[in-house]
Structure formats: structure tokens, C-alpha cells
Amino acid sequence: MKTPVKNKISQSVKEVPPALIREMSLKAAAYSNVISLGIGEPDFDTPEAVIRASMEDALRGHTHYTPSRGDEELIDALIAYIKVEKDIELEPNQLMVTHGGMGALIAALRAILDPEDEVIVFEPHFPSYKAQITFSGGRICYVSTRFEDGFIPDPRRVEKAITPRTKAMILNSPNNPTGATVPSGVLDELASIAVERDLIVISDEVYDKLVFKGSHDSLYKRPGMEQRTIVINSFSKTFAMTGWRIGYCYGPNVLIDQVLKVATYFTSCPSSIGQRAALAALKMDREIFVDMANEFKERCGLVYDRLKAIPGIRVHPSSGSFYVFPSVDSLTRDTMNFALELLDKEQVVVIPGEAFGPSGKGCIRISCTVGSNLLLEAMNRLERFVRNYYSS
Ligand code: PLP
């Protein structure tokens, strides 16, 4: 008798559950009048100038494979951008363009992990890390962060989690889902640990332009970290370009060479017209993106103000990204059910915190990616829901 094909599916793929965030969107499709605070993408469209420039470039012939490292003009523009924005000087062989930030993450993990190697991940975390580590043959090693600490990583917990198999640590600041940014002092400590314990750091900085106070600080700038950090970044959030699928990463060329090898065999190169759009975004007056970042800050503030007035909800103000991650655990620990009931009774989509790791349970993720009026309406509905079903 033939073996059913289901039995042939890879163990590492089977053990990863389907993405809960996408599932919530599918469930929402059965309702009308839904306000979705579920998916993490800017509601702003890509500016028309960017779209036009890329289409014109396509008509001029930019429709072929580009070099695997990326369109040469885009690489030059990125190096100049990073120098101005971050005061970091890069050689062209230290940077590559990727299929979104996701493409950079998977290629970086695949380039460094051998079977059973461990990667430290602070949780709650961006769910793709777990899948990508598992698909690369590695093991995820959770270091919890807590609501009570504002979800800031505790370096002492990192020390305790390190084993002889620990190869890398992923740090994401500003953070999805918590909206926390890691303070400079904690970055100093994490960098010292990485140097002392010889760890590679993958610094996921895709929300670096959505910092609400001051500017983004990176571990990359700490002593010894240039030699061991791969910075992941993307056009998706900063430039409202999620669908164009353009990201990039940079780091020491010995690592980037291998990341490039993986990406080349996986995808040949990122989309040529997507790269031309990214180039146009870098060349244009970027005021419009600053306004967008300010709008996210305002919306997160507005949601924070509303949530903190709802009995039973605890919340920290977000310091970056476009997420707010309140705790509802004094109302219920079953946040999956809370989210499903909220959708059913009030047609508001939020993501249950357990989608982001065990410490997320008891919290919900709210994406402030609809306009203020709709956001206020969603808060009205959430408040009514809590008062109707959870007040004693
Ligand atoms: N990293 C984090 C923390 C994210 O939240 C996301 C997207 O939601 C990504 C990386 C990947 O973004 P993209 O592949 O669209 O560049």
C-alpha cells in the first residue's frame, strides 16, 4: 500500500503551526463592518511618485534579473542613506538587497545555523522567527520579557539561557508586538554579552524610523559588534511599501557573503521593479514618511489613552512601531477566546498575545493601522465589549 503523501511532509515544517495572524484575518472575512487592527502593515499607500518612477523604469527595461546582491544604483543609494541616517560607513560588499526583511532573516539564519544550533529570541516576538529558525534546522531558545518590565529584555536572563550550542541572538527594537524600544544601557549590556560569549546578533530594525522619542539606537554601534551583527531592515514599514517586497541587510562581509550565497540559490535576486521603487523612495523628499511616522505616534497615544481608562486593562505607552500591546489578564487569561468573541460581538480584529510566544498570553496586539476616527470607533467597541461581557 502506498504511504499517504501527508506522511512525507518534513517534520520541521509540520511542527510549525499556521500563522495565527493570517487565520484571524480569514475568520474576519465572514463578518461585515469589521475594523481590523490585526495585520501589521501601514494603511498608507506607496506615494504615487514612487509607483510612477518604478513603472517608468520598467518601461525603460528594468525588468530583468538584477545582480543577486541587488541593483547597483540601489546599493549605492542605500550606502549613502545609511551613512547619513546612522553615521555607519559600509563597503558595497557589506550590504545586500533582499526579498523584504523576511528574505534577509531567512537567508541570515540559514547561513549561520547548523542542526540543533540554538538562537536566543526574546518573547513575545515576531512569529516568523520561530518558523525560520526551525526551517533552518536550528532551535529557538526563549528568553521571556514581562509586562511588569515594559517588555524590556533582562540581560541576566540572557546569560542564564546561553549554552554551548547558542550561536546567535535576535533582537527586535522597536518591537513587534510590544511597541517597546530597548534602552541604550540594555543594548550596552547585551552587546557585552554577545562579545564575551561569541554570539552573532541579528538586529531586526525594520521599525527604526518609527521611534516616538529621540532616534533609533542600534547594538551594531557598540564596541566589537560590527564584526558580529547582521542588521535587518526593510522598505515595508518606513516607506509604506509592504507589497513591493524589498528589504536589505548589512554586516561583516564574511557573513554577508554567505547570506548572499543562500539568497542567490533561494531567489536569484529581489524583484527588479521593486528595487527601482525602493531607489525612488530613497531619492524623493522624505517629509511624507516623517508625517506618516508622526501619525503612527499620535494613533498609538490615542489608543493608549483610551485603553488605560477601561477597567481591567493595563497598558504601557508604546515607544515605537505602530503596535500597542495591552494586558487583559485581569479580565481573562484566555486571550484567544477574547479575540474571537470581540470579533463575533463587535467586529473588531485584534491578535491574541499567545501568537507571539508564551509571555504574550493575557495580552492582545492592536495595530494602529487605521485612521484615528476608525481607531476611536474600534476603542468604543472594545470598551463596550469589556463592559458587557467582562465586568462583574
Ligand atoms: N521583522 C519584523 C519585526 C516585522 O514585524 C516584519 C513584518 O511584519 C518583518 C521583519 C518583515 O517585513 P518585510 O518582509 O515586509 O520587510
Side-chain angles (χ1 to χ4, degrees):
M1 205 173 94
K2 285 202 182 131
T3 329
V5 284
K6 213 172 162 199
N7 291 349
K8 298 192 187 292
I9 293 172
S10 145
Q11 194 50 45
S12 72
V13 172
K14 262 195 293 199
E15 80 183 51
V16 173
L20 194 53
I21 298 175
R22 300 264 164 190
E23 289 206 343
M24 283 302 293
S25 299
L26 291 178
K27 284 193 199 316
Y31 294 85
S32 54
N33 194 21
V34 170
I35 304 177
S36 178
L37 310 179
I39 298 274
E41 73 163 332
D43 48 318
F44 303 95
D45 291 330
T46 304
E48 195 178 319
V50 171
I51 302 173
R52 281 195 190 286
S54 75
M55 295 304 142
E56 279 161 18
D57 282 353
L59 288 170
R60 274 199 285 266
H62 285 277
T63 53
H64 297 269
Y65 290 131
T66 69
S68 297
R69 190 185 288 283
D71 180 299
E72 278 155 10
E73 275 182 76
L74 177 57
I75 301 258
D76 287 348
L78 271 170
I79 288 175
Y81 170 77
I82 292 163
K83 169 77 186 120
V84 170
E85 296 290 322
K86 314 228 171 226
D87 197 21
I88 291 173
E89 301 234 19
L90 296 171
E91 295 296 327
N93 65 2
Q94 289 185 268
L95 177 130
M96 58 184 274
V97 184
T98 55
H99 181 85
M102 293 282 233
L105 280 167
I106 185 70
L109 287 164
R110 190 66 196 82
I112 61 175
L113 293 182
D114 284 316
E116 308 300 323
D117 278 350
E118 292 170 11
V119 182
I120 289 179
V121 171
F122 300 99
E123 61 91 19
H125 66 98
F126 176 48
S128 294
Y129 298 151
K130 184 168 187 195
Q132 296 195 346
I133 291 165
T134 311
F135 296 163
S136 302
R139 297 247 155 258
I140 193 162
C141 171
Y142 276 149
V143 171
S144 303
T145 63
R146 304 178 330 141
F147 180 90
E148 287 67 25
D149 304 327
F151 295 109
I152 302 299
D154 178 349
R156 283 163 308 178
R157 290 184 181 218
V158 178
E159 300 261 23
K160 283 200 195 121
I162 293 173
T163 75
R165 296 267 12 182
T166 308
K167 192 171 253 178
M169 168 165 80
I170 301 182
L171 188 69
N172 170 219
S173 174
N175 187 271
N176 175 7
T178 65
T181 52
V182 181
S184 295
V186 176
L187 288 178
D188 292 343
E189 286 184 69
L190 292 175
S192 303
I193 294 171
V195 171
E196 254 166 52
R197 307 300 292 265
D198 193 21
L199 304 182
I200 289 173
V201 173
I202 295 180
S203 182
D204 182 340
E205 304 182 1
V206 303
Y207 298 97
D208 67 339
K209 288 287 159 203
L210 306 180
V211 171
F212 299 157
K213 210 164 136 203
S215 55
H216 181 253
D217 191 5
S218 173
L219 216 115
Y220 183 88
K221 294 201 141 190
R222 268 58 190 180
M225 293 307 289
E226 273 181 33
Q227 290 86 45
R228 59 179 66 252
T229 307
I230 301 175
V231 174
I232 308 289
N233 215 322
S234 167
F235 285 79
S236 288
K237 321 284 174 172
T238 306
F239 297 101
M241 286 179 61
T242 47
W244 300 85
R245 309 306 303 126
I246 302 296
Y248 58 95
C249 62
Y250 55 89
N253 73 313
V254 280
L255 286 179
I256 294 299
D257 279 353
Q258 301 307 313
V259 180
L260 179 59
K261 191 202 296 178
V262 174
T264 305
Y265 280 115
F266 274 12
T267 59
S268 294
C269 67
S271 146
S272 58
I273 52 169
Q275 293 188 74
R276 297 307 289 183
L279 178 62
L282 288 182
K283 280 185 180 165
M284 72 184 277
D285 178 355
R286 293 200 290 273
E287 201 52 36
I288 187 173
F289 303 114
V290 175
D291 291 347
M292 187 179 81
N294 284 336
E295 171 82 23
F296 285 133
K297 177 181 172 181
E298 224 166 84
R299 292 180 190 172
C300 286
L302 187 147
V303 165
Y304 167 74
D305 287 341
R306 284 298 302 271
L307 289 173
K308 75 174 193 271
I310 302 177
I313 295 189
R314 294 180 299 151
V315 60
H316 293 293
S318 293
S319 50
S321 77
F322 38 62
Y323 305 108
V324 183
F325 199 60
S327 167
V328 296
D329 77 344
S330 59
L331 303 172
T332 176
R333 284 291 289 162
D334 190 348
T335 22
M336 183 69 212
N337 190 52
F338 183 93
L340 290 175
E341 288 289 303
L342 178 62
L343 172 61
D344 190 54
K345 304 284 192 275
E346 294 286 355
Q347 295 77 57
V348 174
V349 180
V350 298
I351 306 298
E354 51 265 53
F356 308 96
S359 307
K361 201 169 172 63
C363 295
I364 53 172
R365 190 190 76 175
I366 293 174
S367 292
C368 299
T369 47
V370 298
S372 298
N373 287 344
L374 219 48
L375 211 45
L376 282 175
E377 168 60 14
M379 292 303 107
N380 289 342
R381 293 186 192 184
L382 175 65
E383 177 158 8
R384 188 164 60 213
F385 172 71
V386 169
R387 290 192 191 277
N388 283 348
Y389 299 98
Y390 288 93
S391 49
S392 41

